[in-house]
Amino acid sequence: MNQVVFAARSRSGIGSTKAGRIRREGRIPAVIYGTSGQAMPLDLDALEFTNGIKGISESTIVKISIDGETKEAFVKDTQRDILNGKIMHVDFYEISQDTVVRARVPVYLQGNAVGVREGGVLEFPLHDIEVECLPRDLPESISVDVSELKVNQSIFLRDVKFGEGVRVLSNPDQVVVLVKFAKEEAAAPAPEAAAADAAAPAAAGAAVAPAAAAPDKKE
């Protein structure tokens, strides 16, 4: 996948009034947090950014060209309008190629499990994995082959292979994917059994009724 590049421009004004003006111009207010913690206000073309982030995960490194200067960063947060889904604000975290980063890498499954063809149900509880590495070693995603997975078998995180230089921070004993038997629906009772069960309470009630104490006769 080619590295995505966003063209941005620095901005001096902040606040809701300035942000509203930027949005009316078809742009998105943004902030990039530098490696030393400083924050730089930016704005981006709304259409370019909305189209460009499709398929981008938290572990995807993008380039941002800010007034001719290029920085590499993660897209850490996008705030959206709850009514129309439009992106209202973006937070970037700048990275350095010489500094170790932490990120959550998405997991994707590959193949069709044998156990599913045998009547089992595939469960996929772990959708991303936290790792630590240099930016050049950071995978955009992890592919797990489930083709040979049979019923009552699991793939644990410790079974997943990572590239050299990648340190896994998530618990290695977590189950990534498993196949288990489908729950069988309880069989409906036979008509004769259902009739017998329905008759039993009625018979019991008939036996109890005569045993009730008769009212005392007053003299």
Side-chain angles (χ1 to χ4, degrees), residues 95-154:
I95 64 166
S96 168
Q97 287 294 335
D98 299 324
T99 304
V100 170
V101 296
R102 289 187 178 187
R104 301 198 70 87
V105 180
V107 179
Y108 297 103
L109 303 184
Q110 180 181 0
N112 297 313
V114 172
V116 173
R117 297 197 297 271
E118 295 173 344
V121 175
L122 184 77
E123 294 192 356
F124 180 27
L126 190 63
H127 293 273
D128 55 57
I129 300 167
E130 187 176 17
V131 301
E132 183 179 77
C133 59
L134 290 171
R136 64 174 175 268
D137 298 323
L138 183 64
E140 286 195 10
S141 63
I142 298 296
S143 179
V144 177
D145 188 356
V146 299
S147 302
E148 302 301 320
L149 198 61
K150 299 179 180 179
V151 175
N152 287 339
Q153 289 186 341
S154 304

Side-chain angles (χ1 to χ4, degrees), residues 201-213:
V208 170

